[in-house]
Amino acid sequence: MENKINTLFANSSDKKLLSLYFCAGCPTLEGTADVILAMQRRGIAMIEVGIPFSDPLADGPVIQSAATQALKNGMNLKTLFSQLTAIKDQVEIPLLLMGYLNPILHYGIEAFCQSCVEAGVSGAIIPDLPFDDYLNIVKPVADRYDLRIIMLITPETSEERIRFIDDHTDGFIYMVSSASITGTQKSFDEQKQAYFRRIDGMHLRNPRMIGFGISNAQTLKAAQDNAAGAIIGSKFVTLLNEANGDADKALDNLFAALES
């Protein structure tokens, strides 16, 4: 059976995918399954489930705060895998785990990949994973389990490096809209738009998703016009907290914000 990430992109030629991120265990420890199933029901194409970590370097205050709350609530990888395994048969869309290297190394790379497969997870995004370590240590194990390890590129990433990443990864490339931390933005300036067009013009083998800073109609359209789709994190995490974990209410408010 083909990896769900590859299937999603193979079947979506209209370039309008929407992927959402939330932090497992926030606002409540037991809410993970409800959030995922609500997103699937409401047409979200792909979900990134955040693994909370005490020192999330690439994340802005919203996601840092969510991780802190999740850790206080008692969320960890073992608990997360058991929650995901419980709903595995109900989840048809691709799930990715997004988290830092430290908790994954602590869990064990082989054990992590095996648990991903058992829990119905299709891939992982590890922002602080050095590319050499990915190639030599993580990729051989992940390939054995048919897991996609997704790499990030930023406006600072060289063309040579982007082509190298494109040649040695599968699934999609995560295009970070700016070199700064996560968070919402009202619009993407001409510099960011030029970056989107430049990468689009490289005609990469892998599809691309644009994330960081998407929170309204303008930023969503810019992402969806220049890539296979958009990834929203901070905005949804904020709305989920405001709705006390009620994912349907948070999604209602997100869809309303994305039209304005």
Side-chain angles (χ1 to χ4, degrees):
M1 200 168 88
E2 193 180 29
N3 183 288
K4 285 181 183 175
I5 296 169
N6 297 83
T7 304
L8 172 69
F9 288 103
N11 295 338
S12 66
S13 54
D14 63 350
K15 280 186 149 193
K16 297 292 180 222
L17 297 178
L18 179 59
S19 174
L20 297 185
Y21 165 97
F22 76 103
C23 182
C26 177
T28 67
L29 179 63
E30 300 300 334
T32 308
D34 287 346
V35 175
I36 290 170
L37 295 174
M39 285 188 193
Q40 175 172 272
R41 198 169 61 243
R42 302 291 295 275
I44 301 305
M46 180 167 61
I47 301 172
E48 292 174 21
V49 184
I51 304 165
F53 181 50
S54 53
D55 190 22
L57 299 173
D59 292 311
V62 169
I63 292 176
Q64 281 194 19
S65 170
T68 302
Q69 185 59 51
L71 291 171
K72 272 189 198 156
N73 289 346
M75 179 52 77
N76 56 39
L77 264 175
K78 191 178 171 191
T79 301
L80 176 55
F81 280 130
S82 79
Q83 290 180 350
L84 296 177
T85 303
I87 57 164
K88 178 185 176 182
D89 295 340
Q90 297 168 257
V91 180
E92 293 164 11
I93 61 176
L95 292 182
L96 290 104
L97 294 187
M98 184 165 188
Y100 292 86
L101 190 55
N102 191 298
I104 294 168
L105 286 178
H106 191 71
Y107 193 87
I109 288 168
E110 180 97 29
F112 175 80
C113 291
Q114 188 173 347
S115 292
C116 280
V117 171
E118 289 166 358
V121 172
S122 300
I125 302 168
I126 310 169
D128 59 340
L129 173 64
F131 200 77
D132 287 349
D133 290 350
Y134 157 72
L135 280 180
N136 299 317
I137 300 165
V138 178
K139 186 179 189 299
V141 183
D143 284 353
R144 222 167 43 242
Y145 288 92
D146 196 34
L147 286 174
R148 304 289 174 262
I149 306 297
I150 305 303
M151 296 311 246
L152 290 83
I153 63 170
T154 77
E156 272 67 50
T157 311
S158 71
E159 185 164 324
E160 181 187 22
R161 181 72 162 184
I162 292 168
R163 296 225 179 262
F164 191 69
I165 288 171
D166 191 43
D167 287 344
H168 292 89
T169 60
D170 189 24
F172 68 96
I173 289 174
Y174 191 135
M175 275 181 72
V176 175
S177 67
S178 67
S180 63
I181 56 174
T182 57
T184 61
Q185 290 168 228
K186 285 200 165 51
S187 65
F188 290 135
D189 60 24
E190 179 48 41
Q191 197 178 359
K192 289 193 179 75
Q193 304 255 16
Y195 155 62
F196 296 161
R197 290 194 296 270
R198 175 169 64 86
I199 306 302
D200 203 24
M202 288 177 69
H203 304 293
L204 300 174
R205 186 177 59 86
N206 279 297
R208 302 165 325 281
M209 295 287 283
I210 296 175
F212 283 46
I214 296 164
S215 63
N216 59 17
Q218 198 174 351
T219 46
L220 178 68
K221 184 178 188 304
Q224 291 182 330
D225 283 353
N226 290 284
I231 298 168
I232 297 177
S234 297
K235 180 72 175 177
F236 182 70
V237 170
T238 299
L239 293 171
L240 190 60
N241 276 331
E242 288 172 358
N244 296 318
D246 181 337
D248 274 303
K249 188 175 175 187
L251 287 162
D252 285 342
N253 293 334
L254 177 69
F255 295 146
L258 293 177
E259 287 174 6
S260 62

